[in-house]
Amino acid sequence: LLFRILDMIVTSDIYKILFERVKDFGIKEIYDSWNPIKSELEEEAIVIVISTPISPDTYWESAFAYVNICVPDYLHEVNTVRLNEVERLAELWIRDGIVDEYDGSWYFISKSSIGIERDEGLKCSYVSVRLSFEVLNIN
């Protein structure tokens, strides 16, 4: 039983996997939905949100995750130039999907959607990348 428990991917593992992958953006501040940003944003940051529990299926277990790349306002205005740059980078980031192995389980990450949203409380806009995270469900 212990071997089976260790040989699986859970939502906190998805966070760990994405945490390592978002370092590609070169943004130092990385948050999660369990420890959110609590004040107005002064520097760019990334927030990783695992939005659904893992759903079992015959061959694949799946969940959705969001990688939100936050761009603070510039001189009290939306920084549209930087948002455009970040959205283009995010579009290329997982363009063809990623297949890899973690803790004895194979997974596939693909981009489900991408867009720009706004958070008035944090005084920032962000590029929201919705990812489909699928784990191979066979041993």
Side-chain angles (χ1 to χ4, degrees), residues 2-135:
L2 182 58
F3 178 76
R4 177 67 183 130
I5 290 173
L6 296 176
D7 190 26
M8 68 172 67
I9 293 177
V10 296
T11 56
S12 56
D13 293 325
I14 294 172
Y15 171 79
K16 290 177 194 174
I17 291 165
L18 291 175
F19 182 90
E20 290 303 315
R21 297 222 175 251
V22 299
K23 289 180 180 179
D24 293 345
F25 287 101
I27 296 172
K28 293 182 284 185
E29 299 297 322
I30 302 173
Y31 297 87
D32 56 56
S33 56
W34 304 294
N35 297 296
I37 302 169
K38 294 185 172 101
S39 62
E40 287 184 14
L41 202 62
E42 294 182 17
E43 295 183 30
E44 290 183 1
I46 294 176
V47 179
I48 300 170
V49 179
I50 312 304
S51 67
T52 58
I54 295 177
S55 301
D57 201 352
T58 306
Y59 297 108
W60 292 93
E61 294 180 341
S62 61
F64 285 100
Y66 288 85
V67 171
N68 299 316
I69 308 159
C70 305
V71 176
D73 291 350
Y74 180 70
L75 300 175
H76 308 290
E77 297 286 330
V78 174
N79 190 343
T80 55
V81 172
R82 181 61 180 150
L83 280 169
N84 178 264
E85 293 170 352
V86 170
E87 187 176 23
R88 287 175 176 270
L89 289 170
E91 184 66 43
L92 294 171
W93 178 51
I94 301 184
R95 173 171 252 158
D96 299 322
I98 295 171
V99 175
D100 206 347
E101 181 266 340
Y102 178 85
D103 201 24
S105 295
W106 286 93
Y107 64 85
F108 176 63
I109 305 172
S110 60
K111 185 173 48 208
S112 178
S113 64
I114 187 171
I116 295 176
E117 298 187 32
R118 178 82 184 144
D119 188 316
E120 284 298 332
L122 297 179
K123 300 292 185 213
C124 75
S125 297
Y126 57 95
V127 175
S128 180
V129 183
R130 184 177 189 229
L131 301 173
S132 172
F133 194 101
E134 298 175 292
V135 180

